[in-house]
Amino acid sequence: NNIDDLETYIRDISDEMDRISGIIDDYEYQKEVKRDNISQLESRVDDLENTISDKEAEIEHQYELMKMRIKFLYENVDNSYIEAIFSSGSFSEAVEKIQYLLEITTYDRRMMQQIQDMVEDVNQDKAQVESEIEVINVELSDIDDLENAQQAQQELYEQARSLKEIELEERHEELDTAQILIDEMTAEIAENEGEITSLIAAY
C-alpha cells in the first residue's frame, strides 16, 4: 500500500512538474518570438535612419542650389532681364524672352515643391521610426514580464522537484525499515517452522 501510494504521489508531482515545464517552455517561445520581432524592428529602424540621413543630405543640397538660384535671379534677372524684354528688337523676340522667364519661374516652383515633398517624406519616416521604437520598448517590457513569470514558474518547478526528492527519501527510509522488519519476521517464521517441524516429528 505504501508503495502504491508513493507511486501515485510521485506520479502526481511528476505531472505537475511536466505542466510547469510546459508553461516555462511556452514563456521561452514567446520571448524568442518577441526577440525576433525586435530584431526585425531594429533592422527597419536602421534602414529608415539611413534613408532619413540620405534624404536630409539631398534636401540640404537642393536647398543650397535653390538659394544660389534665387540669389542669382534676384541679382541678375529681375531688372536686367525685364529691361532686356522691353529692349527686344521685335515682338516675337520679347515673347520668347517672356516665355523663358516664365519657364524659369515654373521650374523654381517645381523644385521648391520637390523639396517640400522630401521634407514631408523625412517627417513621415521620423514618425515611423518613433512608432517602431515604441513597439520595441513595449516588446522589451513584455520580455521582462515573461522572464519574471518564467522565473516564478521555475521556482515552483524546483519546489516540486525538491518535494519529490524529499518524499522519495522519506518513503525509501520507511521501506528500508519495513524491509528490516520483514527480514526479522521471515527469520522468526523460519525458526518457528523449524520448531513446529520438530514438534510434529516428536509427536
Side-chain angles (χ1 to χ4, degrees):
N1 287 336
N2 283 343
I3 292 174
D4 290 340
D5 291 344
L6 175 61
E7 289 177 348
T8 300
Y9 184 73
I10 295 303
R11 185 165 54 249
D12 291 342
I13 293 180
S14 296
D15 291 342
E16 180 65 11
M17 290 173 67
D18 290 341
R19 187 187 70 81
I20 295 172
S21 180
I23 294 173
I24 292 172
D25 291 342
D26 182 61
Y27 286 152
E28 190 63 33
Y29 172 75
Q30 291 184 51
K31 288 195 300 182
E32 286 301 318
V33 170
K34 290 184 178 297
R35 288 191 186 104
D36 290 342
N37 191 31
I38 288 172
S39 178
Q40 294 175 10
L41 289 168
E42 288 176 338
S43 178
R44 288 206 297 269
V45 167
D46 288 341
D47 291 342
L48 282 169
E49 288 178 342
N50 290 332
T51 300
I52 289 170
S53 179
D54 293 341
K55 287 181 179 179
E56 287 180 334
E58 180 63 20
I59 289 171
E60 184 65 24
H61 175 67
Q62 292 296 332
Y63 183 62
E64 290 300 322
L65 292 178
M66 178 61 66
K67 287 194 297 184
M68 291 173 60
R69 183 170 179 78
I70 291 172
K71 181 179 179 181
F72 173 80
L73 291 174
Y74 177 77
E75 292 176 350
N76 299 284
V77 174
D78 286 352
N79 294 322
S80 62
Y81 205 81
I82 291 175
E83 290 175 1
I85 290 174
F86 286 108
S87 63
S88 299
S90 64
F91 179 74
S92 61
E93 183 181 348
V95 169
E96 183 179 340
K97 291 180 179 180
I98 292 172
Q99 182 65 31
Y100 179 69
L101 183 60
L102 291 175
E103 288 177 355
I104 290 176
T105 304
T106 301
Y107 172 80
D108 293 335
R109 285 200 302 266
R110 187 169 64 250
M111 290 304 298
M112 183 59 71
Q113 185 61 49
Q114 288 180 1
I115 292 174
Q116 290 176 349
D117 292 341
M118 292 175 68
V119 170
E120 289 179 3
D121 287 343
V122 167
N123 290 336
Q124 289 177 0
D125 289 342
K126 288 181 177 179
Q128 182 66 26
V129 167
E130 292 178 0
S131 176
E132 301 284 6
I133 290 175
E134 287 179 3
V135 175
I136 288 173
N137 290 333
V138 170
E139 293 288 55
L140 288 172
S141 178
D142 288 346
I143 288 176
D144 288 340
D145 292 340
L146 286 169
E147 286 180 345
N148 292 333
Q150 189 178 34
Q151 181 62 34
Q153 291 297 321
Q154 187 65 43
E155 291 174 0
L156 287 176
Y157 182 87
E158 295 300 330
Q159 291 173 5
R161 183 170 63 179
S162 177
L163 184 62
K164 179 180 177 180
E165 291 174 353
I166 292 172
E167 187 67 23
L168 281 171
E169 183 177 352
E170 290 179 352
R171 293 302 177 94
H172 278 307
E173 290 177 357
E174 291 179 7
L175 291 174
D176 289 342
T177 301
Q179 188 62 50
I180 292 173
L181 181 59
I182 290 171
D183 291 341
E184 291 176 352
M185 294 179 68
T186 301
E188 185 177 349
I189 289 171
E191 183 180 346
N192 289 337
E193 286 180 345
E195 292 180 1
I196 291 169
T197 300
S198 297
L199 290 172
I200 291 173
Y203 177 75

